[in-house]
Amino acid sequence: MPEAPLEPIALATPSRPVTTTGTIKVRVRYCECDPMGVAHHASYLPWLEMARTELLREAGVSYAQLEAAGIFLVITKVEVRYRRPIGYDDIVEIRTRVVGGSQVKIQHEYDITLVEDSGHGAGRAPRPIGEMLAAASTTLACVGKDGRIRPLPDWLAS
């Protein structure tokens, strides 16, 4: 007898403890840079998204599973403070923290630090490993398939 399909909400239930902090490393690709070899400001937003989705994955839930359950997290606010340039082939670490929220929104903060200086960039002095290159924050709201605000799953709500 075939197994009954899982209810959509069951797909979006964590299988591991939910963590509120995480880190990922990213090597800056050539396509993310301007002609001077500096990471374009728009490249930072996908890195933040990667960091957030890895936090979910740590709990055993993918963003695709949230969507299948009818849970969509949309950006309502993003702020990035660029402190130092990030260059082509640099390796950076994005540290992510859940810092607040409510029954319908989640707030994250991010620190982007240098892990490996590629040395690319004409005339650029070497930078210290661990240097803070950017700081960011996001607010995400939970909506349903219809685009209307809906409560977050209990395990995501603060």
Side-chain angles (χ1 to χ4, degrees):
M1 175 178 272
E3 202 171 300
L6 290 174
E7 289 294 313
I9 200 67
L11 293 173
T13 303
S15 60
R16 296 188 287 272
V18 178
T19 182
T20 58
T21 62
T23 62
I24 66 165
K25 290 181 181 160
V26 172
R27 181 180 296 273
V28 179
R29 300 173 302 167
Y30 185 79
C31 65
E32 295 170 317
C33 296
D34 64 20
M36 295 183 298
V38 175
H40 189 272
H41 66 272
S43 298
Y44 290 61
L45 299 183
W47 300 342
L48 302 181
E49 181 179 340
M50 290 164 54
R52 286 192 307 276
T53 57
E54 288 306 313
L55 257 184
L56 283 173
R57 204 176 310 279
E58 287 291 318
V61 177
S62 71
Y63 190 74
Q65 289 171 312
L66 284 179
E67 286 184 338
I71 300 163
F72 297 84
L73 302 175
V74 297
I75 296 282
T76 60
K77 181 180 178 184
V78 64
E79 181 178 329
V80 182
R81 291 172 305 284
Y82 305 95
R83 296 183 176 177
R84 297 273 187 258
I86 298 174
Y88 166 62
D89 214 31
D90 285 349
I91 298 176
V92 295
E93 180 174 77
I94 298 126
R95 297 181 195 132
T96 309
R97 299 176 300 288
V98 177
V99 295
S102 68
Q103 295 302 309
V104 297
K105 68 181 179 180
I106 303 172
Q107 296 169 311
H108 295 87
E109 288 182 349
Y110 314 81
D111 296 328
I112 302 175
T113 59
L114 185 65
V115 172
E116 184 180 308
D117 186 345
S118 68
H120 294 287
R124 191 178 72 193
R127 295 162 297 157
I129 301 306
E131 180 179 22
M132 174 84 81
L133 304 173
S137 63
T138 56
T139 301
L140 290 82
C142 185
V143 300
K145 287 181 181 179
D146 59 2
R148 293 180 185 216
I149 295 289
R150 65 166 285 173
L152 287 161
D154 290 341
W155 62 271
L156 269 180
S158 54

